[in-house]
Structure formats: structure tokens, C-alpha cells
Amino acid sequence: MLTSTHEPLARWTTLRLGGPATRFLQAESRAELYDAVAVADANAEPVLVMGGGSNLVVADAGFPGTVIRAASQGLSMDAVSDTSATVTVEAGEDWDRLVTRAAAEGWMGIEALAGIPGTVGAVPIQNVGAYGQEVSDTILRVHTFDRVRQVPCTLAAHECGFGYRSSVFKRSPGRYVVGAVTFRLQGGSVGAPVRYGELARRLGLAPGEATLARDVRTAVLELRRSKGMVLAEADHDTWSAGSFFTNPFVEPAQLPAGAPSYPQPDGRMKTVAGWLIEHAGLPKGYGTSRVRLSSKHPLALTNRGGATTVELLALATEVRERVEGAFGIRLEPEPTLVNCSL
């Protein structure tokens, strides 16, 4: 297990922001991860467990406690046939590497989630989704350490409380540490029907048509790169935490004229945060020389180099206030804010 003190967390986040952790550990196995958390809890130390750092906004002051990075690797094939594959993947595995392998193996269900940065252990927490797929559609079980009971605990999918960019893990922050995830993926080469309009157009399909999963993955990567959502060291548009705000759900009467809308089972409408931001008068590239909206996507707040978390949160506050002032809709941040607030 790698151990250091006063480790700058900016080295470990995709925003390249964040001050030092009092103590930093890198757990190379599920057992090391659980043991490190248990020891810190026994010593009453504040704990932050992180993966790829792609969904964290860390204060300039850092984290006054122990940061444990889940770096466990491995994939076990629990059951594989022509029609399905059940695989358990350790929390520290790179998410996009799993998507790439799934496409190569003929495992369907996560191909539209290509290019999303981060680790496997993070995806159930946010219930990551893109282009008409959500990871919860393929999760069978989540293997965790329950910090309340101080025991390993496996939660079936129905116990995870999955919702839009949400789960029991997000709603009860700090209780569960994800050690591995078991997925059930469909076998074959043709993916699920493509219902997301932008993706269907890129593939030359009518919404609802299906095509090869590997072609879906390729098209998704092209779309994400065009929006600065695939990490690239030299491209500051990718120095972000991805989409900074979630798409809001509003009553029909609240929906601004002309705004994209998607009816929900409860009668509300889901609209698009990026549209609201642009139509509140904040175009792509808005901001300062050090922090600004991505030049490719208005929903990504980016570090242009040399920025501070204070500066980033000031821009986020301005965006939220402008949208609320223009439309009466309050945007909620998607990343986890560590030792800071918005």
C-alpha cells in the first residue's frame, strides 16, 4: 500500500485542483481498502475514499484526514454464455477499459457509456448515464464495506436505490465503500435500440433502431471528444469534472419556452442544464483566463491552468445565480464537493 503525507490532491483529480490530504493511502486490493477504512474509523479520522478523481471538487485547503484511493484491479467471469455474461470487477479498474473490453467480448449494455472517466467503483454511486444508457441497467450487485456496521456487505441492485444520477451510496455519503461491482451484460453483437436523438443521427439511424455495439461505442467517443469530455492532457477543455450540474426536473408550468423537455412518469419534465446556461447569457468559453466554461460544452467548468477551487466555485455560483434569475430554476451540482460548498 502506497502511503504519503500532505499529498496534493490536485495530482489525483481531473480538475487538477485540490490542496493536500493529511494522509494519503493507495489500496491495491479490496482487502486493503476495507482494512484501511476500518483502521481510520477506529481512530476517528475523517476519511475520503476516491477513485479516478473525475467527480471531485476539492477545497484549496485540501482534506483534513485520510484519503484512500481505491486502486484494486481485476475482473472475474462468474458466468458467461452466448446470451449473457456476469462479471465482477474490482473498484479500481478503469471504467472505460471495462467498456472497451465488453465491446470486444460481445458483452452488451454499457457501450454508450464509453469515454466516461473514472473507476468502476465510482459508477454506481452516481449511477452514471449517457446517451440513453444508465449503469444501473446492468448492475446485479455492489460489494461494499458498511462503515456503520463495520462489516463487508453486498447489496443487490434493488437495494441500491438507483435514480437519476443518484443511489443509496450518494444519498448516504460516507456509509458505504464500494469494493467491487457485479454486472450482468447481454451477449451478442447488436446493442440496445438507440433512442438518444443525437447519437442516432451520428450513426445514421432512426431513433429506436439498433446497430452494432462497437459502432455505438465509436460514435459515443466521437461525440464526447467533440464536447471535450474525453480526458486529454493538452486540452484544457477536459480539465473538468465533466458535467458540473445535473439536468433539472421541473413542473410543466416552469419549463422555459423553447427549452428541451422530456416527460417523466411523475408528470414533471426533465430539461437540459446546458441549454439553460447558454440561454441565461453564458456562452461556451465564458469566464476568466483561469476558469471558464468549456469552449466545447457549456456544462463543463474548466481549469485553464493555475486556477484555484475558490475561483471555480465562484464561476459555478455565478452560473447557478444567472440561471435561477433568468428561469427560476436552481441547478444542483453533480460532482462531490470536498471540504467546500456552493
Side-chain angles (χ1 to χ4, degrees):
M1 180 182 291
L2 177 139
T3 305
S4 62
T5 58
H6 305 294
E7 176 76 12
L9 295 178
R11 294 178 182 173
W12 300 96
T13 66
T14 54
L15 268 165
R16 278 78 166 177
L17 296 177
T22 303
R23 193 163 68 110
F24 182 88
L25 308 176
Q26 184 160 282
E28 305 292 342
S29 69
R30 200 188 314 180
E32 282 190 357
L33 174 62
Y34 291 176
D35 287 348
V37 172
V39 169
D41 285 347
N43 293 330
E45 298 175 28
V47 174
L48 171 66
V49 177
M50 67 178 297
S54 60
N55 203 51
L56 294 179
V57 179
V58 181
D60 296 316
F63 183 74
T66 298
V67 173
I68 305 169
R69 182 172 181 268
S72 53
Q73 303 289 300
L75 180 152
S76 61
M77 292 185 280
D78 303 333
V80 178
S81 69
D82 291 340
T83 58
S84 69
T86 302
V87 297
T88 298
V89 188
E90 296 300 315
E93 282 284 350
D94 180 79
W95 170 253
D96 191 53
R97 188 161 58 237
L98 174 62
V99 176
T100 301
R101 177 169 179 182
E105 297 277 2
W107 302 338
M108 306 297 105
I110 56 175
E111 57 276 0
L113 305 180
I116 294 176
T119 57
V120 167
V123 296
I125 298 172
Q126 290 291 118
N127 185 20
V128 299
Y131 299 106
Q133 287 184 347
E134 286 189 334
V135 73
S136 57
D137 295 335
T138 63
I139 289 178
L140 191 62
R141 293 180 290 273
V142 180
H143 308 273
T144 76
F145 180 76
D146 184 339
R147 295 176 64 195
V148 172
R149 296 189 294 145
Q150 288 289 303
V151 293
C153 172
T154 297
L155 279 69
H158 72 271
E159 298 175 291
C160 295
F162 290 122
Y164 173 69
R165 302 299 177 271
S166 183
S167 68
V168 68
F169 312 112
K170 188 171 183 179
R171 291 190 295 274
S172 301
R175 174 169 181 175
Y176 297 101
V177 176
V178 177
V181 183
T182 298
F183 300 90
R184 177 174 288 161
L185 304 167
Q186 297 303 306
S189 59
V190 177
V194 178
R195 306 192 187 282
Y196 197 88
E198 183 183 26
L199 179 57
R201 289 190 295 273
R202 173 66 66 128
L203 288 161
L205 303 175
E209 287 187 321
T211 189
L212 295 175
R214 66 171 180 266
D215 291 344
V216 172
R217 174 181 169 274
T218 298
V220 165
L221 287 172
E222 291 171 353
L223 286 170
R224 290 184 64 84
R225 285 193 184 97
S226 73
K227 299 175 182 180
M229 294 292 189
V230 176
L231 296 179
E233 181 69 28
D235 183 359
H236 282 266
D237 278 336
T238 75
W239 289 30
S240 77
S243 297
F244 197 90
F245 296 102
T246 57
N247 290 326
F249 293 77
V250 301
E251 298 298 328
Q254 288 182 282
L255 190 69
S261 61
Y262 305 92
Q264 302 300 302
D266 63 1
R268 294 183 299 166
M269 295 285 186
K270 183 172 79 170
T271 190
V272 176
W275 186 96
L276 297 173
I277 292 168
E278 288 199 286
H279 286 78
L282 301 169
K284 298 170 188 174
Y286 178 84
T288 71
S289 62
R290 298 193 346 161
V291 293
R292 58 177 182 257
L293 304 184
S294 166
S295 66
K296 303 181 181 74
H297 198 296
L299 201 47
L301 277 62
T302 66
N303 171 10
R304 313 312 292 190
T308 65
T309 302
V310 166
E311 291 172 309
L312 184 91
L313 292 177
L315 176 59
T317 299
E318 181 181 1
V319 169
R320 184 153 78 170
E321 290 178 350
R322 291 278 290 272
V323 168
E324 190 166 17
F327 303 114
I329 297 173
R330 188 171 180 82
L331 297 180
E332 296 299 332
E334 184 167 335
T336 298
L337 307 183
V338 178
N339 200 25
C340 57
S341 60
L342 180 60

